[in-house]
């Protein structure tokens, strides 16, 4: 004779209901953010930032900047890792009640040729202006200067931007005869094989 199915124990959780893509909202979390810069290091900026796990780190950065009245250059996780702006909070490993450390964006560093300027911003972007023939126009390499630049070096009429070691790219623009065209040596400049920037040798 057929055997009746055994009833589950009273402490067993009930089976979760199947939810469609928009039926269940993403889980939320509260995050505290503290500043790490002189003279107010260790003071809270946000003590209860309410976010969703699918929010990006960039959204948290914007909230912190509004509360701190200044630009934030980096957010550091409880595991001492720099959070990527485009990462989702859940994918970045943040949990409810975590404490995040905020680093202020450093001031821009200016570099110049004879008739143009290049500013390395605190978030790794580069802005240029001045005479186009002296490096003031970087539109041809704009996408390569939109982030991840570590340092800038200049000759009389050209610039070279060295990107982060993970990227290993050197980007040049300006007068081709003064170093603005590095197409002939791109293989040597890849993967961090260039130990120091190439420019005019000094006597």
């Amino acid at each position: 004779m057929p055997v009746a199915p055994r009833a589950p124990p009273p402490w067993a959780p009930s089976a979760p209901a199947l939810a469609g893509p928009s039926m269940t909202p993403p889980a939320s979390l509260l995050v505290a953010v503290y500043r790490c810069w002189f003279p107010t290091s260790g003071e809270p900026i946000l003590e209860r930032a309410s976010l969703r796990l699918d929010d990006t780190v960039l959204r948290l950065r914007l909230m912190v900047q509004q509360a701190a009245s200044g630009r934030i250059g980096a957010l550091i996780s409880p595991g001492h890792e720099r959070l990527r702006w485009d990462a989702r909070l859940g994918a970045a490993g943040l949990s409810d009640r975590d404490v995040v450390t905020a680093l202020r964006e450093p001031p821009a560093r200016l570099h110049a040729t004879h008739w143009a300027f290049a500013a390395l911003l605190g978030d790794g972007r580069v802005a240029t202006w001045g005479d186009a023939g002296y490096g003031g126009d970087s539109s041809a390499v704009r996408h390569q200067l939109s982030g991840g630049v570590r340092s800038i070096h200049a000759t009389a009429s050209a610039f070279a931007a060295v990107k982060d070691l993970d990227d290993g790219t050197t980007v040049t623009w300006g007068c081709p005869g003064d170093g603005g065209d590095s197409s002939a040596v791109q293989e040597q400049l890849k993967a961090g094989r260039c130990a120091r920037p190439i420019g005019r040798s000094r006597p």
Side-chain angles (χ1 to χ4, degrees):
M1 62 183 301
V3 179
R6 180 182 296 178
W11 60 84
S14 59
L18 295 178
S22 60
M23 291 179 62
T24 304
S28 60
L29 70 163
L30 292 175
V31 177
V33 182
Y34 284 72
R35 70 186 75 215
C36 183
W37 62 77
F38 183 82
T40 56
S41 183
E43 293 185 1
I45 303 174
L46 291 172
E47 293 189 273
R48 293 174 61 88
S50 180
L51 297 146
R52 299 183 307 179
L53 286 175
D54 64 348
D55 281 333
T56 63
V57 177
L58 180 59
R59 173 171 170 77
L60 176 59
R61 179 198 188 192
L62 295 176
M63 295 172 65
V64 175
Q65 287 185 157
Q66 185 175 12
S69 301
R71 291 188 62 83
I72 299 300
L75 292 175
I76 309 301
S77 74
H80 309 292
E81 295 182 353
R82 181 171 180 157
L83 299 173
R84 290 177 45 187
W85 301 134
D86 60 346
R88 304 287 177 180
L89 297 177
L94 291 185
S95 303
D96 192 33
R97 313 286 175 174
D98 270 351
V99 175
V100 175
T101 302
L103 303 180
R104 188 165 52 185
E105 183 175 286
R109 288 174 283 169
L110 287 177
H111 305 266
T113 59
H114 284 338
W115 298 99
F117 288 97
L120 176 55
L121 307 179
D123 59 0
R125 293 178 294 123
V126 175
T128 62
W129 66 97
D131 191 293
Y134 285 79
D137 180 7
S138 59
S139 57
V141 291
R142 180 182 294 119
H143 67 287
Q144 294 174 276
L145 302 178
S146 60
V149 175
R150 177 163 48 91
S151 61
I152 295 178
H153 308 271
T155 62
S157 55
F159 292 102
V162 180
K163 302 201 73 174
D164 287 336
L165 291 178
D166 290 343
D167 187 282
T169 300
T170 300
V171 184
T172 58
W173 70 98
C175 178
D178 206 19
D181 181 5
S182 59
S183 57
V185 292
Q186 276 303 304
E187 288 302 315
Q188 292 96 310
L189 298 178
K190 285 181 180 177
R193 280 181 273 169
C194 181
R196 57 177 180 267
I198 298 173
R200 288 178 171 174
S201 60
R202 295 185 177 180

